[in-house]
Amino acid sequence: MTTRRQFLALTATGLAAPALAQKSVDLGLAGGAPTRALTRDFPQKGEMILQRSNPPLLETPFDVFKTGTITPNDRFFVRWHYPFPTDIDPRRHRVAVTGHVARPLSLSLAAIARLPRIRYAAVNQCAGNGRALFSPRVAGAGWANGAMGNAVWEGVRLKDVLDLAGVKPGAVCVRVSGLDAPTAEGAPDFAKSLAIDHARDGEVMLAFAMNGVALPLLNGFPLRLVVPGWYSTYWVKMLDSIEVLDRPDDGYWMTRAYLAPATPFADVAPGTAGFARVPVAAMSPRAFITNIAAGARLPRRSLHPVQGLAMGGDSGVRGVELSGDGGRSWAPAQLGPDEGRYGFRRFMGAVAAAPGSARLMARATNMAGVSQPMRQNWNPSGYNRAGVEAVAVEII
Amino acid sequence: MRVLLALLPLVLVAAAPVPQRPVRVAITADDGVFADRGAVSADAVNANCLGCHSAGMVLTQPRLTPVQWGETITKMRAVYKAPIEPVDDAPIIAWLTAP
């Protein structure tokens, strides 16, 4: 459920330091720690939900998604595992292309930008988006549904960069990492890999622009990987290393972390053990009602207007259906313009709902024919939330 | 002026510029330190749990069992190489599970 009851409250209990009143947001979470502070303290960012200041975890307040299909750069969510530089000169930045290649390279941004440009809209969503809404709750970054955003990314094809270096026969995958580095010596550097054919599909991008301007530093300035249709964990920020491997990547971040059950929607029953796990990868379709918040009191009327945003995951949005009776009956929504198969697509329509408590729902189906499940999927890591979101309202 | 207006559509469709200007930011936000919970001292969590991440990471977690918190400490030690002395495990878990 995406509850957004904003109010003024004192700083979260458990903290010793500030006694000043601070604006916060109630994310409507069961199972503890339901509120978060709102912050304007981060560079190049407007008001964000503060999950953690260091390394920053900043969530997009859900109201932002009312404004349109594009998430503004200064409201785009932020997620870092490790500390990163806060002073970057893009003219001195270099990207090393190494490993199983004919010509190892050290490329400047200017050299990269001479390659053919590509540009498309794509949703960037944390694998753990919605984790704090899981029932039962699970440990991990406590996101509601705002660890996602849609931007127009611009840059060059990873394929073209790999071709400059000349991938040798027998290449298996491409490992990418950035300028962030662990605090403690011996902790695993953050690096993610794509299979060689995926890396060379002509869509995976090295992006230096986001919505027409340079990326905010917190979103990966000066260069980040864009893997459309896949979760954000692969969208490596402050990218400075591309390594072609002639073997599978056996690193921590591919073999131990970001693993989800190898089941449809990564769904297992709570308490299940011993299931096979695979790296999180492609995203699922999702739809979000944006014009009505949970807890809203709506006047009686024959039809209630509903609007929102849908995503198809790794393919476009085929359709969105709406329900005002908790999913017993459905009516198709009208879709807004197609702004790219990997981006958000607006939907609008109207639902009938009986007086009293009602649950309004939107259900997306993608071009591959995958529809959101009615029951929320669950796994112990809080990944791949994909079920239909219900907005509980009172019709008075 | 007329020339500028005529160029405007071209500018709008032109490719985004490659970043040239250095960016230097300061991140001053701080989640603070942990407070004692009743009679349960926060000393062990303050000494061990703020080296790699700020307090928000802990304070946004749902209610977890002592076993679950123990698994988290093991992960911090084994994967992230947090120098947590084993003798501190009990006081850390005591604070994390205190009401």
Coordinates of all heavy atoms in Angstrom, one line a residue, chain A residues 97 100-103 118 156-176 193-206 225-228 242 244-245:
Chain A
V97 N 39.1 0.5 -20.4 CA 38.5 -0.7 -21.1 C 39.6 -1.8 -21.1 O 40.6 -1.6 -21.8 CB 38.0 -0.4 -22.5 CG1 37.2 -1.5 -23.0 CG2 37.1 0.9 -22.5
H100 N 39.7 -9.0 -21.7 CA 39.7 -9.8 -22.9 C 39.5 -9.0 -24.1 O 38.5 -9.2 -24.9 CB 38.7 -11.0 -22.7 CG 39.0 -12.2 -23.5 ND1 40.1 -12.9 -23.4 CD2 38.2 -12.7 -24.5 CE1 40.0 -13.9 -24.3 NE2 38.9 -13.8 -25.0
V101 N 40.3 -8.0 -24.4 CA 40.2 -7.1 -25.6 C 41.5 -7.1 -26.3 O 42.6 -7.3 -25.8 CB 39.7 -5.7 -25.2 CG1 38.3 -5.7 -24.6 CG2 40.7 -5.1 -24.2
A102 N 41.4 -6.7 -27.6 CA 42.6 -6.6 -28.4 C 43.4 -5.4 -28.1 O 44.7 -5.4 -28.1 CB 42.2 -6.6 -29.9
R103 N 42.7 -4.3 -27.7 CA 43.4 -3.0 -27.5 C 42.9 -2.4 -26.2 O 41.9 -1.6 -26.2 CB 43.2 -2.0 -28.6 CG 43.7 -2.4 -30.0 CD 43.2 -1.5 -31.1 NE 41.7 -1.6 -31.2 CZ 41.1 -2.6 -31.9 NH1 41.8 -3.5 -32.5 NH2 39.8 -2.6 -32.0
I118 N 23.1 8.1 -28.7 CA 21.7 7.5 -28.6 C 21.0 8.2 -27.5 O 21.6 8.7 -26.5 CB 21.7 6.0 -28.5 CG1 22.5 5.5 -27.3 CG2 22.2 5.3 -29.7 CD1 22.3 4.0 -26.9
V156 N 26.3 7.1 -25.4 CA 26.7 6.3 -26.5 C 26.5 4.8 -26.1 O 26.3 4.4 -25.0 CB 28.2 6.5 -26.8 CG1 28.5 8.0 -27.0 CG2 29.1 6.0 -25.6
R157 N 26.5 4.0 -27.2 CA 26.3 2.5 -26.9 C 27.5 1.9 -26.3 O 28.7 2.1 -26.7 CB 26.1 1.8 -28.3 CG 24.8 2.2 -29.0 CD 24.7 1.5 -30.3 NE 23.5 1.9 -31.1 CZ 23.5 3.0 -31.9 NH1 24.6 3.7 -32.1 NH2 22.3 3.3 -32.5
L158 N 27.3 1.1 -25.3 CA 28.4 0.3 -24.7 C 29.0 -0.6 -25.8 O 30.2 -0.7 -25.9 CB 27.9 -0.6 -23.6 CG 28.9 -1.6 -23.0 CD1 30.1 -0.9 -22.4 CD2 28.2 -2.4 -21.9
K159 N 28.2 -1.1 -26.7 CA 28.7 -1.9 -27.9 C 29.8 -1.1 -28.6 O 30.8 -1.7 -29.0 CB 27.6 -2.2 -28.8 CG 28.0 -2.9 -30.1 CD 26.7 -3.1 -31.0 CE 27.0 -3.9 -32.2 NZ 28.1 -3.4 -33.1
D160 N 29.6 0.2 -28.9 CA 30.5 0.9 -29.7 C 31.9 1.1 -28.9 O 32.9 1.1 -29.5 CB 30.0 2.3 -30.1 CG 28.8 2.1 -31.1 OD1 28.7 1.1 -31.8 OD2 28.1 3.1 -31.3
V161 N 31.8 1.3 -27.6 CA 33.0 1.4 -26.8 C 33.7 0.1 -26.8 O 35.0 0.1 -26.9 CB 32.6 1.9 -25.4 CG1 33.8 1.8 -24.5 CG2 32.0 3.3 -25.4
L162 N 33.0 -1.0 -26.7 CA 33.6 -2.3 -26.7 C 34.3 -2.6 -28.1 O 35.4 -3.1 -28.1 CB 32.6 -3.4 -26.4 CG 32.1 -3.4 -25.0 CD1 30.9 -4.4 -24.9 CD2 33.2 -3.8 -24.0
D163 N 33.7 -2.1 -29.1 CA 34.2 -2.3 -30.5 C 35.5 -1.5 -30.7 O 36.4 -1.9 -31.4 CB 33.2 -1.9 -31.6 CG 32.1 -2.9 -31.7 OD1 32.2 -4.0 -31.1 OD2 31.1 -2.6 -32.4
L164 N 35.6 -0.4 -30.0 CA 36.9 0.4 -30.1 C 38.0 -0.4 -29.5 O 39.1 -0.4 -30.0 CB 36.8 1.7 -29.2 CG 36.0 2.9 -29.8 CD1 36.1 4.0 -28.8 CD2 36.6 3.3 -31.1
A165 N 37.7 -1.2 -28.5 CA 38.8 -2.0 -27.8 C 39.0 -3.3 -28.5 O 40.0 -3.9 -28.4 CB 38.5 -2.1 -26.3
G166 N 37.9 -3.8 -29.2 CA 38.0 -5.0 -29.9 C 37.9 -6.2 -28.9 O 38.9 -6.8 -28.4
V167 N 36.7 -6.7 -28.7 CA 36.4 -7.8 -27.9 C 37.0 -9.1 -28.5 O 36.7 -9.4 -29.7 CB 34.9 -8.0 -27.6 CG1 34.6 -9.3 -26.8 CG2 34.4 -6.8 -26.8
K168 N 37.8 -9.8 -27.8 CA 38.4 -11.1 -28.4 C 37.4 -12.2 -28.3 O 36.5 -12.2 -27.4 CB 39.6 -11.4 -27.6 CG 40.8 -10.4 -27.8 CD 42.1 -10.9 -27.5 CE 42.5 -11.0 -26.0 NZ 43.9 -11.2 -25.8
P169 N 37.5 -13.2 -29.2 CA 36.7 -14.3 -29.2 C 36.7 -15.0 -27.8 O 37.8 -15.0 -27.2 CB 37.2 -15.3 -30.3 CG 38.0 -14.4 -31.2 CD 38.5 -13.3 -30.3
G170 N 35.6 -15.6 -27.4 CA 35.6 -16.3 -26.1 C 35.2 -15.4 -24.9 O 35.2 -15.8 -23.8
A171 N 34.9 -14.1 -25.2 CA 34.4 -13.2 -24.1 C 33.1 -13.8 -23.6 O 32.2 -14.2 -24.3 CB 34.2 -11.8 -24.6
V172 N 32.9 -13.7 -22.2 CA 31.7 -14.2 -21.6 C 30.8 -13.1 -21.0 O 29.6 -13.1 -21.1 CB 32.1 -15.2 -20.4 CG1 30.9 -15.6 -19.6 CG2 32.8 -16.4 -21.0
C173 N 31.5 -12.1 -20.4 CA 30.7 -11.0 -19.8 C 31.5 -9.8 -19.7 O 32.7 -9.8 -19.9 CB 30.1 -11.5 -18.4 SG 31.4 -11.8 -17.2
V174 N 30.8 -8.7 -19.4 CA 31.5 -7.4 -19.2 C 31.2 -6.9 -17.8 O 30.0 -6.7 -17.4 CB 30.9 -6.4 -20.3 CG1 31.6 -5.0 -20.1 CG2 31.2 -6.9 -21.7
R175 N 32.3 -6.6 -17.1 CA 32.1 -6.2 -15.7 C 32.4 -4.7 -15.6 O 33.4 -4.2 -16.2 CB 33.1 -6.9 -14.8 CG 33.0 -6.4 -13.3 CD 33.6 -7.5 -12.4 NE 35.0 -7.8 -12.6 CZ 35.6 -8.8 -12.1 NH1 35.0 -9.7 -11.3 NH2 36.9 -9.0 -12.4
V176 N 31.5 -4.0 -15.0 CA 31.6 -2.5 -14.9 C 31.6 -2.0 -13.5 O 31.0 -2.6 -12.6 CB 30.3 -1.9 -15.6 CG1 30.3 -0.4 -15.5 CG2 30.3 -2.4 -17.1
S193 N 28.0 -7.2 -13.6 CA 28.4 -7.7 -15.0 C 27.1 -8.0 -15.8 O 26.1 -8.3 -15.3 CB 29.1 -9.1 -14.8 OG 30.4 -8.8 -14.2
L194 N 27.3 -7.8 -17.1 CA 26.3 -8.2 -18.1 C 26.9 -9.3 -19.0 O 28.0 -9.2 -19.3 CB 25.8 -7.0 -18.9 CG 25.2 -5.9 -18.2 CD1 24.9 -4.7 -19.2 CD2 23.9 -6.3 -17.5
A195 N 26.1 -10.2 -19.4 CA 26.5 -11.2 -20.4 C 27.0 -10.5 -21.6 O 26.4 -9.4 -22.0 CB 25.4 -12.2 -20.7
I196 N 27.9 -11.0 -22.3 CA 28.6 -10.3 -23.5 C 27.5 -9.9 -24.5 O 27.6 -8.8 -25.0 CB 29.7 -11.1 -24.1 CG1 30.4 -10.3 -25.1 CG2 29.2 -12.4 -24.6 CD1 31.3 -9.2 -24.6
D197 N 26.5 -10.8 -24.8 CA 25.5 -10.4 -25.8 C 24.6 -9.3 -25.4 O 24.2 -8.5 -26.2 CB 24.7 -11.6 -26.2 CG 25.5 -12.7 -27.0 OD1 26.6 -12.3 -27.5 OD2 25.0 -13.8 -27.2
H198 N 24.3 -9.3 -24.1 CA 23.5 -8.2 -23.5 C 24.3 -6.9 -23.6 O 23.8 -5.8 -24.1 CB 23.2 -8.5 -22.1 CG 22.2 -7.6 -21.4 ND1 21.8 -7.7 -20.2 CD2 21.5 -6.5 -22.0 CE1 20.9 -6.7 -19.9 NE2 20.7 -6.0 -21.0
A199 N 25.6 -6.9 -23.2 CA 26.4 -5.7 -23.2 C 26.6 -5.2 -24.7 O 26.7 -3.9 -24.9 CB 27.8 -6.0 -22.7
R200 N 26.4 -6.0 -25.7 CA 26.6 -5.6 -27.1 C 25.3 -5.5 -27.8 O 25.3 -5.5 -29.0 CB 27.5 -6.6 -27.8 CG 29.0 -6.5 -27.4 CD 29.9 -7.1 -28.4 NE 29.8 -8.5 -28.5 CZ 30.8 -9.3 -29.0 NH1 31.9 -8.7 -29.4 NH2 30.6 -10.6 -29.1
D201 N 24.2 -5.4 -27.1 CA 22.9 -5.4 -27.7 C 22.5 -4.0 -28.4 O 21.5 -3.9 -29.1 CB 21.7 -5.8 -26.8 CG 21.4 -4.8 -25.7 OD1 22.0 -3.7 -25.7 OD2 20.4 -5.0 -25.0
G202 N 23.4 -3.0 -28.2 CA 23.1 -1.8 -28.9 C 22.2 -0.9 -28.1 O 21.9 0.3 -28.5
E203 N 21.6 -1.4 -27.0 CA 20.7 -0.5 -26.2 C 21.4 -0.1 -24.9 O 21.2 1.0 -24.4 CB 19.4 -1.3 -25.9 CG 18.5 -1.5 -27.1 CD 17.1 -2.0 -26.6 OE1 17.0 -2.7 -25.7 OE2 16.2 -1.6 -27.3
V204 N 22.2 -1.0 -24.4 CA 22.9 -0.6 -23.1 C 23.8 0.6 -23.4 O 24.6 0.6 -24.4 CB 23.7 -1.8 -22.6 CG1 24.5 -1.4 -21.4 CG2 22.8 -3.0 -22.3
M205 N 23.7 1.6 -22.6 CA 24.3 2.9 -22.8 C 25.2 3.4 -21.8 O 25.1 3.1 -20.6 CB 23.1 3.9 -22.9 CG 23.5 5.4 -23.3 SD 22.2 6.6 -22.9 CE 20.8 6.0 -23.8
L206 N 26.3 4.1 -22.2 CA 27.0 4.9 -21.3 C 26.5 6.3 -21.3 O 26.6 7.0 -22.4 CB 28.5 5.0 -21.6 CG 29.2 3.6 -21.8 CD1 30.7 3.8 -22.1 CD2 29.1 2.8 -20.5
L225 N 26.2 3.8 -16.4 CA 25.6 2.8 -17.3 C 24.1 2.9 -17.2 O 23.5 3.1 -16.2 CB 26.1 1.4 -16.9 CG 26.0 0.3 -17.9 CD1 26.9 0.6 -19.1 CD2 26.3 -1.1 -17.4
V226 N 23.5 2.7 -18.4 CA 22.0 2.6 -18.4 C 21.7 1.2 -19.1 O 22.1 0.9 -20.2 CB 21.4 3.7 -19.3 CG1 19.9 3.5 -19.6 CG2 21.6 5.1 -18.6
V227 N 21.0 0.4 -18.3 CA 20.6 -0.9 -18.8 C 19.1 -1.0 -18.8 O 18.4 -1.3 -17.8 CB 21.2 -2.0 -17.8 CG1 20.9 -3.4 -18.4 CG2 22.6 -1.8 -17.6
P228 N 18.5 -0.6 -19.9 CA 17.0 -0.4 -20.0 C 16.3 -1.7 -19.7 O 16.6 -2.7 -20.3 CB 16.8 0.2 -21.4 CG 17.9 -0.3 -22.2 CD 19.1 -0.3 -21.2
I242 N 35.6 -0.7 -17.4 CA 34.8 -1.7 -18.2 C 35.8 -2.8 -18.5 O 36.9 -2.6 -19.1 CB 34.4 -1.1 -19.6 CG1 33.4 0.1 -19.3 CG2 33.7 -2.2 -20.4 CD1 33.1 0.9 -20.6
V244 N 36.3 -6.7 -19.8 CA 35.7 -7.9 -20.5 C 36.4 -9.2 -19.9 O 37.6 -9.3 -19.8 CB 36.0 -7.8 -22.0 CG1 35.5 -9.0 -22.8 CG2 35.5 -6.5 -22.6
L245 N 35.5 -10.1 -19.5 CA 36.0 -11.3 -18.9 C 35.8 -12.5 -19.8 O 34.8 -12.5 -20.6 CB 35.2 -11.6 -17.6 CG 35.2 -10.5 -16.5 CD1 34.5 -11.0 -15.3 CD2 36.7 -10.2 -16.1

